[in-house]
């Protein structure tokens, strides 16, 4: 029985088919890589946004009764500094072994297009600290502005920096609890995207 090999035509057909399959596979792989490169920065941006709101939630969950912190006013203040909104709060510091309960001041504000978190060292009692003693962490870039509103019982959401809303908050029955129950934080990015989160205070 004579052995029979492939003819030249069969080899050409096989090579052509393999070339077509390889081209399709390469185009699919190239499309996958391109899509991944396009989505990876967006995924990093979403992760940074979730981390930012998560940190805010942890800080606000540790805000406690101002009498415990030795404060005569609310432990949460919203003000305007250098034309930007600043959220400042007094919270319980993370617990450490063999150490008494400590407190710290945390400040959120936008600096040069970046939302930063500034925190004071953990102290045995609340005290005002200067800016040079605050440890700064960059949380989120490309932030155009931050807006903060606080919930007022019987009134709703108010912006503490709007005088008319401050006056209206005095109309209903006064709230004997100086700790606001919730804070609404809105971040606007430089591309016009707006992200809003309502966070409960004190867990």
């Amino acid at each position: 029985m004579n052995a029979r090999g492939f003819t030249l035509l069969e080899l050409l057909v096989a090579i052509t088919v393999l070339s077509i399959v390889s081209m399709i596979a390469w185009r699919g792989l190239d499309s996958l890589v391109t899509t991944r490169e396009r989505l990876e920065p967006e995924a990093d941006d979403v992760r940074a946004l979730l981390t930012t709101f998560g940190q805010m939630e942890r800080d606000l969950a540790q805000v406690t009764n101002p009498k415990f912190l030795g404060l005569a006013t609310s432990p949460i203040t919203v003000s305007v500094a250098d034309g930007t909104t600043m959220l400042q709060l007094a919270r319980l510091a993370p617990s450490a072994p063999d150490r008494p309960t400590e407190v710290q001041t945390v400040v959120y504000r936008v600096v040069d297009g970046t939302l930063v978190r500034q925190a004071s060292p953990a102290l045995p009692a609340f005290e005002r600290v200067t800016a040079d003693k605050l440890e700064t962490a960059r949380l989120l870039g490309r932030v155009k502005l931050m807006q903060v509103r606080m919930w007022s019982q019987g009134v709703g959401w108010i912006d503490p920096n709007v005088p008319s809303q401050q006056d209206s908050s005095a109309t209903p029955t006064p709230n004997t609890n100086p700790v606001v129950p919730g804070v609404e934080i809105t971040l606007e990015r430089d591309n016009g995207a707006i992200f809003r989160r309502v966070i409960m205070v004190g867990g």
Side-chain angles (χ1 to χ4, degrees), residues 23-166:
M23 182 63 69
I24 294 174
W26 177 81
R27 289 177 65 88
L29 181 61
D30 181 66
S31 176
L32 180 63
V33 172
T34 301
T35 302
R36 179 179 178 182
E37 290 176 349
R38 180 174 58 84
L39 293 179
E40 191 167 342
E42 295 181 10
D44 293 339
D45 198 47
V46 170
R47 189 159 42 245
L49 187 64
L50 292 175
T51 300
T52 298
F53 280 125
Q55 182 63 62
M56 289 179 168
E57 288 180 349
R58 287 190 293 272
D59 285 332
L60 288 167
Q62 294 303 317
V63 172
T64 187
N65 193 300
K67 293 181 180 180
F68 180 80
L69 297 175
L71 299 176
T73 59
S74 173
I76 301 177
T77 58
V78 179
S79 59
V80 175
D82 299 326
T84 61
T85 300
M86 181 172 66
L87 171 64
Q88 179 173 321
L89 56 96
R91 56 155 286 176
L92 296 178
S95 59
D98 302 324
R99 291 178 66 91
T101 301
E102 296 176 308
V103 297
Q104 66 179 156
T105 300
V106 175
V107 177
Y108 286 94
R109 61 179 174 175
V110 178
V111 179
D112 296 329
T114 300
L115 179 66
V116 299
R117 176 184 184 268
Q118 298 176 304
S120 69
L123 302 171
F126 178 79
E127 62 182 62
R128 301 290 179 183
V129 295
T130 57
D132 59 319
K133 293 184 179 180
L134 296 175
E135 181 180 349
T136 301
R138 298 166 61 91
L139 295 180
L140 188 66
R142 300 173 52 200
V143 177
K144 182 179 179 181
L145 60 88
M146 176 181 68
Q147 294 178 324
V148 181
R149 297 195 302 171
M150 297 190 293
W151 181 262
S152 177
Q153 191 69 28
V155 178
W157 292 111
I158 64 169
D159 185 342
N161 296 318
V162 178
S164 60
Q165 293 190 8
Q166 285 183 327

